[in-house]
Amino acid sequence: MPVETRVITVTGKEDCGIVDITEMVSEEVKNSKIRNGTVTVFCIGSTGAISTMEFESNLSKDISEMLEELIPLNKDYHHHKTWGDYNGGSHLRSFLVGPSLTVPFIEKELTLGTWQQIVYINFDRIEKVRKIVLQIIGDF
Amino acid sequence: MPVETRVITVTGKEDCGIVDITEMVSEEVKNSKIRNGTVTVFCIGSTGAISTMEFESNLSKDISEMLEELIPLNKDYHHHKTWGDYNGGSHLRSFLVGPSLTVPFIEKELTLGTWQQIVYINFDRIEKVRKIVLQIIGDF
Amino acid sequence: MPVETRVITVTGKEDCGIVDITEMVSEEVKNSKIRNGTVTVFCIGSTGAISTMEFESNLSKDISEMLEELIPLNKDYHHHKTWGDYNGGSHLRSFLVGPSLTVPFIEKELTLGTWQQIVYINFDRIEKVRKIVLQIIGDF
């Protein structure tokens, strides 16, 4: 029965580092034996997130500024008392954007729009190497 | 192996046009051969989104006003320098709400609450006809 | 064909009651016959949501305060004119965080990070007992 798991490793810069992972996801789907189905893109860890956007540097700046306005990183969060790692804002952003995205594919092609890329975002205050699970489910 | 793809076409008004697509999704699940599983509802494009809500006009107004407060459309976003289409706020809202929703179904019935509808939201500044992919996966 | 449905019942306190449901989800995956796949965690109802976070009480406070700042509960929402239940803010938060989360599992283990738990959040103004559907899909 057709389930194929792939794990990709992605490095995201600190404080809203956005990485276009569309090609990596697309490649893994193409290299699988599954023709039609869904790929669930799941970020392991609670200070990162997955979504889609038009991946271009100006919009990346806008996303960073929007999140800084809504959920500032430099704020005295309660969470800082727990571990002293000062990444409360990183956690809040991750919670809100979410760690999981499920994308359909048809004949091995992801059903993305032309200006729609799959992105991983690192919200932590330090650069992070992160594992992202791709769970590919469907039929041959 | 049970995967069925359906594509529905939906027209959403400009600037936070919310469309109840529950019946369309429900119909496609019922017309499929799959009895138990999940349907992934995926918006093609980076200025729309999918979520659930109690679909009623006053709450639709609240959603529009909340998003306008959090992410104003008329703001001088960096993205506007890239294409000059002035829809930076549309992209930001789409990124935050997200383009994908996965809903379980049991014996062909979506597991929604009574006051919980599946909605597509058009965040673009112009009315848009959009394709939404329904990937139905499960067993007979 | 491998689909297993489980329904768990969770009580969440009023006004941003966060419940760690990781163990419940993990148990159901382990008790199923499916070894590799995904579990879709779906909140029935439009005033609750599902996401992941590091589950600890200080971060729970931060989430509550962040949401109160972005989407205050005590505001004169249009939705209140419809039913008079004064939970417009609850609906808005649910819409934004989202009711559905899909998590991969490998050899019956959820692919969560060490400090990443699956949480259900009750945004309603009253304590609520809620049904959450777990749709487990994959292979033996």
Side-chain angles (χ1 to χ4, degrees):
Chain A
M1 156 59 197
V3 175
E4 291 194 31
T5 306
R6 308 297 171 99
V7 179
I8 60 175
T9 303
V10 179
T11 305
K13 285 201 193 306
E14 65 278 5
D15 186 4
C16 214
I18 304 181
V19 185
D20 179 3
I21 58 170
T22 313
E23 271 311 296
M24 297 172 95
V25 178
S26 179
E27 277 301 299
E28 296 296 350
V29 166
K30 279 179 181 148
N31 292 337
S32 81
K33 285 177 193 146
I34 301 173
R35 271 177 50 203
N36 296 291
T38 58
V39 53
T40 294
V41 182
F42 188 84
C43 171
I44 301 180
S46 52
T47 55
I50 308 287
S51 189
T52 69
M53 62 179 280
E54 179 184 340
F55 186 73
E56 62 92 8
S57 59
N58 276 323
L59 189 57
S60 296
K61 267 191 247 175
D62 288 322
I63 285 179
S64 177
E65 289 179 14
M66 167 192 73
L67 289 168
E68 182 57 30
E69 205 181 303
L70 298 181
I71 307 169
L73 277 193
N74 285 313
K75 200 174 151 177
D76 192 19
Y77 292 107
H78 299 292
H79 179 63
H80 301 173
K81 292 174 210 145
T82 304
W83 301 118
D85 50 6
Y86 301 100
N87 65 357
S90 317
H91 282 287
L92 294 176
R93 294 171 180 197
S94 176
F95 168 84
L96 199 62
V97 179
S100 190
L101 177 80
T102 300
V103 183
F105 57 90
I106 303 169
E107 299 289 340
K108 287 176 176 293
E109 290 287 339
L110 299 171
T111 62
L112 296 166
T114 313
W115 298 279
Q116 183 181 30
Q117 282 74 48
I118 303 172
V119 290
Y120 154 70
I121 316 105
N122 176 32
F123 292 128
D124 221 311
R125 304 186 74 116
I126 52 171
E127 184 172 294
K128 278 229 166 174
V129 180
R130 188 104 57 179
K131 290 198 181 306
I132 293 168
V133 179
L134 310 179
Q135 196 72 314
I136 307 168
I137 296 191
D139 68 0
F140 295 127
Chain B
M1 157 58 196
V3 175
E4 290 194 32
T5 306
R6 308 297 170 99
V7 179
I8 59 175
T9 303
V10 179
T11 305
K13 285 201 191 308
E14 65 278 4
D15 187 4
C16 214
I18 304 181
V19 185
D20 180 3
I21 59 171
T22 314
E23 271 311 296
M24 297 172 96
V25 178
S26 179
E27 277 302 298
E28 297 296 350
V29 166
K30 279 179 181 146
N31 293 337
S32 81
K33 286 178 193 147
I34 302 173
R35 270 177 50 200
N36 296 291
T38 58
V39 53
T40 294
V41 182
F42 188 85
C43 170
I44 301 179
S46 52
T47 55
I50 308 287
S51 190
T52 69
M53 63 179 281
E54 179 184 339
F55 185 73
E56 63 92 7
S57 60
N58 276 324
L59 189 57
S60 296
K61 266 191 248 175
D62 288 322
I63 286 177
S64 176
E65 288 179 15
M66 167 192 72
L67 289 167
E68 183 57 30
E69 206 181 303
L70 299 180
I71 307 168
L73 277 192
N74 285 314
K75 200 173 152 178
D76 191 18
Y77 293 107
H78 299 292
H79 178 62
H80 301 174
K81 291 174 211 145
T82 304
W83 301 117
D85 49 7
Y86 301 101
N87 65 356
S90 317
H91 281 287
L92 294 177
R93 294 172 180 197
S94 177
F95 169 83
L96 200 60
V97 179
S100 189
L101 177 80
T102 300
V103 183
F105 57 90
I106 303 170
E107 299 290 340
K108 287 176 176 290
E109 289 288 339
L110 299 172
T111 63
L112 295 166
T114 314
W115 298 279
Q116 183 180 31
Q117 281 75 48
I118 303 171
V119 290
Y120 155 70
I121 316 106
N122 176 31
F123 292 127
D124 221 312
R125 304 186 74 116
I126 53 171
E127 184 172 294
K128 278 229 167 176
V129 180
R130 188 104 57 178
K131 289 198 181 306
I132 293 168
V133 179
L134 311 179
Q135 196 73 314
I136 306 168
I137 296 191
D139 68 0
F140 295 127
Chain C
M1 156 61 195
V3 175
E4 291 194 31
T5 307
R6 308 296 171 99
V7 179
I8 60 176
T9 303
V10 179
T11 304
K13 285 201 192 308
E14 66 278 6
D15 188 3
C16 214
I18 304 181
V19 186
D20 179 3
I21 59 171
T22 314
E23 271 311 296
M24 297 172 95
V25 178
S26 179
E27 276 303 297
E28 297 296 349
V29 166
K30 280 180 180 146
N31 293 337
S32 81
K33 286 179 192 144
I34 302 173
R35 270 177 50 202
N36 296 291
T38 58
V39 52
T40 295
V41 183
F42 187 85
C43 170
I44 300 181
S46 52
T47 55
I50 308 287
S51 189
T52 69
M53 63 180 281
E54 178 184 340
F55 186 73
E56 62 93 8
S57 60
N58 275 323
L59 189 57
S60 296
K61 266 191 248 175
D62 288 323
I63 286 178
S64 176
E65 289 180 15
M66 166 191 74
L67 288 168
E68 182 58 30
E69 205 180 303
L70 298 180
I71 307 168
L73 277 193
N74 286 313
K75 200 173 152 178
D76 192 18
Y77 292 107
H78 300 293
H79 179 62
H80 301 173
K81 290 174 211 144
T82 304
W83 301 117
D85 50 6
Y86 300 100
N87 65 357
S90 317
H91 281 287
L92 295 176
R93 294 171 179 197
S94 177
F95 168 84
L96 199 60
V97 179
S100 190
L101 177 80
T102 300
V103 183
F105 56 91
I106 302 170
E107 298 290 341
K108 287 176 177 291
E109 291 287 338
L110 299 171
T111 63
L112 295 166
T114 313
W115 298 279
Q116 183 180 31
Q117 282 74 48
I118 303 173
V119 290
Y120 155 70
I121 315 105
N122 176 31
F123 292 128
D124 221 311
R125 304 186 75 117
I126 52 171
E127 184 171 294
K128 279 230 167 174
V129 180
R130 188 104 57 179
K131 291 199 181 307
I132 293 168
V133 180
L134 311 179
Q135 196 71 315
I136 307 168
I137 297 190
D139 68 0
F140 296 128

